[in-house]
Amino acid sequence: MEKQNSKYRWVVFVSILLTYLLIVSQRTAPGLISDQLMKDFNITASTIGLLTSIQFFAYAGLQIPIGILSDRFGPNFFLVIGALLTGIGTLIYSLATNELVLLFARLLVGTGDSAIWVNLVLILSQWFKVREFVGLLGIAGMAGSFGFLLATVPFSAWITRSGWRPPFFTSGIMVVLCGVLLYYVLVKKPKTFEWNDTIPKKQKKPREKTLILLRRIFSTRQAWATFFCHFGTVGTYVGFIGSWAVPYGMHVYGLSRSDASQLIMVGLFGAIIGAPLTSWISSRLDSIKRPYVIVHCIVFLCWASFLFMNGKPPVLMLTIIFFLIGYGNGASALTFAIVRKSFDIKEVGVVSGFANMGGFLSAVLLPSIFGKVLDHFHASASSVGYQYGFIIPVIFASLGLVGGLIIVEKRQEVLQSQVN
């Protein structure tokens, strides 16, 4: 029985999506309680930015090592360990007594989370054919957006009712249980089946040395294109909503926590639509570059509009802006469609890690720099500090647009990859 023709592959797919959905919710849920943490632990806006940054720093820094190890030793073990570390880190976060424990907990969450997406891409590559892979990648992106959605109104309402610790404790338990589920589905159960090797031994080539592989990949235009694409769309969105979006809505517009999280939820609806719709448009046009460049242009203009309107656009326009920025985040699934169609299957892990690192390097830098801008102006409760802070995502989004423009279309290679 071949993996790519078995019914069991759908069990694998659903299990991975459930885990991914829950883990993604914990990427941005701490942003709901930024002001509470500042009050409870007597910490500054810069420290809040550091909390978010250290999580994404671990995530970004481990992307390439995780990609290399997963390509070489297989993705199953790393996905299970990643889920367990994320769950344990969330549990520690819920029990924290000072800012040092908070920092350690977010570092642990970032370390575990770093193993999730790269290995998700690899596992889908192994269990599904190329034509299925592109569509399922859009669904996976949509599942991640639902995870972000959980961290808005539902999680905010839960925090308002019971305080912030019980929701994070419960979420940690659920993620740990998902790690146990993945062990059974990916490691233990498949041992009872007999799988046919889909790659004949004669076609297998000796592995390239790691340094040579990295040197070759880092010198390719396509790899850097994916890096900057993710840097511009994912990092700006995740970095902002994971740290300053809720305080921005509360301080600048006078919204309640629940209302501010509803504003973010609009962006998440955009992200939910963005992944499958943009993948469908790309398939219809037989092009990844054209729709992706348009998406990057829209994201850049959205961030720039904050500057043009002194950090406080009208509420209706703000809603539209968040929707479009969210759409761009969802459309970023095209980054990995580029990776899958441009590189050999043995290199998908490390290139996916490199591309993903771009997005979360941006997410590392944005919250911390944004927090320093707010502290500099002593204006975290007014639009002045935010107005200057929005210069950062504008610059980052412009780099994403550059990435989209330097993508090299390889349509003929798609047919070859489907045959292989």
Side-chain angles (χ1 to χ4, degrees), residues 32 149 152-153 156 246 255-269 319 322:
L32 296 173
L149 186 62
T152 56
V153 175
S156 178
V246 169
L255 302 174
S256 66
R257 185 185 312 279
S258 178
D259 289 339
S261 62
Q262 286 181 26
L263 185 63
I264 297 173
M265 188 169 63
V266 172
L268 295 176
F269 282 126
T319 303
F322 267 92

Short mmCIF file of all heavy atoms in Angstrom, two decimals, residues 32 149 152-153 156 246 255-269 319 322:
data_model
loop_
_atom_site.label_atom_id
_atom_site.label_comp_id
_atom_site.label_asym_id
_atom_site.label_seq_id
_atom_site.Cartn_x
_atom_site.Cartn_y
_atom_site.Cartn_z
N LEU A 32 -3.79 39.52 23.70
CA LEU A 32 -5.04 39.94 24.32
C LEU A 32 -4.84 40.48 25.73
O LEU A 32 -5.70 41.19 26.25
CB LEU A 32 -6.03 38.76 24.37
CG LEU A 32 -6.50 38.18 23.03
CD1 LEU A 32 -7.34 36.93 23.27
CD2 LEU A 32 -7.32 39.22 22.26
N LEU A 149 -8.43 32.95 14.88
CA LEU A 149 -9.78 33.39 15.20
C LEU A 149 -10.16 33.00 16.63
O LEU A 149 -10.82 33.76 17.34
CB LEU A 149 -10.76 32.77 14.20
CG LEU A 149 -12.22 33.23 14.28
CD1 LEU A 149 -12.32 34.72 14.00
CD2 LEU A 149 -13.07 32.45 13.28
N THR A 152 -9.34 35.47 19.41
CA THR A 152 -9.94 36.81 19.40
C THR A 152 -11.13 36.84 20.35
O THR A 152 -10.95 36.77 21.55
CB THR A 152 -10.35 37.21 17.97
OG1 THR A 152 -11.24 36.21 17.43
CG2 THR A 152 -9.14 37.33 17.07
N VAL A 153 -12.32 36.92 19.83
CA VAL A 153 -13.51 37.07 20.66
C VAL A 153 -13.72 35.90 21.63
O VAL A 153 -13.95 36.12 22.82
CB VAL A 153 -14.77 37.28 19.79
CG1 VAL A 153 -16.02 37.32 20.65
CG2 VAL A 153 -14.64 38.57 19.00
N SER A 156 -10.98 36.06 24.25
CA SER A 156 -11.13 37.31 24.99
C SER A 156 -12.29 37.22 25.98
O SER A 156 -12.19 37.67 27.13
CB SER A 156 -11.34 38.47 24.02
OG SER A 156 -11.53 39.68 24.71
N VAL A 246 -4.64 44.77 19.89
CA VAL A 246 -5.69 44.99 20.89
C VAL A 246 -5.45 46.27 21.69
O VAL A 246 -6.36 47.10 21.84
CB VAL A 246 -5.84 43.76 21.81
CG1 VAL A 246 -6.74 44.08 22.99
CG2 VAL A 246 -6.43 42.58 21.02
N LEU A 255 -11.91 51.46 22.44
CA LEU A 255 -12.72 50.25 22.39
C LEU A 255 -12.49 49.40 23.63
O LEU A 255 -11.45 49.49 24.28
CB LEU A 255 -12.36 49.43 21.14
CG LEU A 255 -12.53 50.12 19.78
CD1 LEU A 255 -11.99 49.22 18.67
CD2 LEU A 255 -13.99 50.46 19.54
N SER A 256 -13.48 48.58 23.95
CA SER A 256 -13.28 47.59 25.01
C SER A 256 -12.39 46.48 24.47
O SER A 256 -12.15 46.38 23.27
CB SER A 256 -14.63 47.00 25.45
OG SER A 256 -15.20 46.25 24.39
N ARG A 257 -11.90 45.63 25.37
CA ARG A 257 -11.06 44.52 24.94
C ARG A 257 -11.80 43.63 23.95
O ARG A 257 -11.27 43.19 22.93
CB ARG A 257 -10.60 43.70 26.15
CG ARG A 257 -9.61 42.58 25.79
CD ARG A 257 -9.30 41.73 27.01
NE ARG A 257 -8.97 42.56 28.15
CZ ARG A 257 -7.78 43.10 28.35
NH1 ARG A 257 -6.81 42.89 27.48
NH2 ARG A 257 -7.55 43.87 29.40
N SER A 258 -13.07 43.36 24.23
CA SER A 258 -13.87 42.50 23.36
C SER A 258 -14.06 43.14 21.99
O SER A 258 -13.93 42.47 20.96
CB SER A 258 -15.22 42.22 24.01
OG SER A 258 -16.02 41.44 23.16
N ASP A 259 -14.35 44.46 21.97
CA ASP A 259 -14.56 45.14 20.70
C ASP A 259 -13.27 45.21 19.89
O ASP A 259 -13.28 45.07 18.66
CB ASP A 259 -15.09 46.57 20.93
CG ASP A 259 -16.53 46.57 21.42
OD1 ASP A 259 -17.22 45.56 21.20
OD2 ASP A 259 -16.95 47.57 22.02
N ALA A 260 -12.15 45.42 20.56
CA ALA A 260 -10.86 45.46 19.87
C ALA A 260 -10.53 44.10 19.26
O ALA A 260 -10.01 44.01 18.14
CB ALA A 260 -9.75 45.90 20.83
N SER A 261 -10.84 43.03 19.98
CA SER A 261 -10.58 41.69 19.45
C SER A 261 -11.52 41.38 18.29
O SER A 261 -11.16 40.63 17.38
CB SER A 261 -10.72 40.64 20.55
OG SER A 261 -12.04 40.61 21.07
N GLN A 262 -12.72 41.98 18.28
CA GLN A 262 -13.63 41.80 17.15
C GLN A 262 -13.06 42.45 15.90
O GLN A 262 -13.22 41.94 14.79
CB GLN A 262 -15.00 42.40 17.48
CG GLN A 262 -15.82 41.58 18.46
CD GLN A 262 -17.17 42.20 18.73
OE1 GLN A 262 -17.70 42.93 17.90
NE2 GLN A 262 -17.73 41.93 19.90
N LEU A 263 -12.37 43.58 16.09
CA LEU A 263 -11.74 44.25 14.96
C LEU A 263 -10.67 43.34 14.34
O LEU A 263 -10.56 43.22 13.12
CB LEU A 263 -11.11 45.57 15.43
CG LEU A 263 -10.50 46.45 14.34
CD1 LEU A 263 -11.56 46.92 13.36
CD2 LEU A 263 -9.82 47.66 15.00
N ILE A 264 -9.90 42.69 15.19
CA ILE A 264 -8.88 41.75 14.71
C ILE A 264 -9.54 40.57 14.02
O ILE A 264 -9.02 40.03 13.03
CB ILE A 264 -8.01 41.27 15.88
CG1 ILE A 264 -7.25 42.44 16.48
CG2 ILE A 264 -7.02 40.20 15.43
CD1 ILE A 264 -6.51 42.10 17.75
N MET A 265 -10.70 40.17 14.53
CA MET A 265 -11.40 39.03 13.96
C MET A 265 -11.77 39.28 12.50
O MET A 265 -11.79 38.36 11.69
CB MET A 265 -12.67 38.73 14.77
CG MET A 265 -13.37 37.44 14.36
SD MET A 265 -14.67 36.98 15.54
CE MET A 265 -15.77 38.38 15.37
N VAL A 266 -12.01 40.54 12.15
CA VAL A 266 -12.28 40.88 10.75
C VAL A 266 -11.08 40.50 9.88
O VAL A 266 -11.23 39.95 8.79
CB VAL A 266 -12.60 42.39 10.61
CG1 VAL A 266 -12.70 42.78 9.14
CG2 VAL A 266 -13.89 42.72 11.33
N GLY A 267 -9.88 40.81 10.38
CA GLY A 267 -8.67 40.44 9.67
C GLY A 267 -8.54 38.93 9.53
O GLY A 267 -8.07 38.43 8.50
N LEU A 268 -8.96 38.22 10.54
CA LEU A 268 -8.87 36.77 10.49
C LEU A 268 -9.85 36.18 9.47
O LEU A 268 -9.55 35.17 8.83
CB LEU A 268 -9.14 36.18 11.88
CG LEU A 268 -8.08 36.58 12.92
CD1 LEU A 268 -8.47 36.05 14.30
CD2 LEU A 268 -6.71 36.05 12.53
N PHE A 269 -11.00 36.81 9.31
CA PHE A 269 -11.91 36.36 8.25
C PHE A 269 -11.25 36.56 6.88
O PHE A 269 -11.40 35.74 5.98
CB PHE A 269 -13.24 37.12 8.32
CG PHE A 269 -14.17 36.63 9.39
CD1 PHE A 269 -14.69 37.50 10.34
CD2 PHE A 269 -14.52 35.29 9.46
CE1 PHE A 269 -15.54 37.05 11.34
CE2 PHE A 269 -15.37 34.82 10.45
CZ PHE A 269 -15.87 35.70 11.39
N THR A 319 -11.53 48.84 9.47
CA THR A 319 -12.06 47.49 9.33
C THR A 319 -11.65 46.88 7.99
O THR A 319 -11.22 45.72 7.92
CB THR A 319 -13.60 47.50 9.44
OG1 THR A 319 -13.98 48.09 10.68
CG2 THR A 319 -14.15 46.09 9.36
N PHE A 322 -7.83 46.02 8.02
CA PHE A 322 -7.52 44.79 8.74
C PHE A 322 -7.95 43.56 7.93
O PHE A 322 -7.27 42.53 7.94
CB PHE A 322 -8.19 44.78 10.12
CG PHE A 322 -7.31 45.31 11.21
CD1 PHE A 322 -7.34 46.66 11.55
CD2 PHE A 322 -6.44 44.48 11.88
CE1 PHE A 322 -6.52 47.15 12.54
CE2 PHE A 322 -5.62 44.95 12.88
CZ PHE A 322 -5.65 46.30 13.22
#
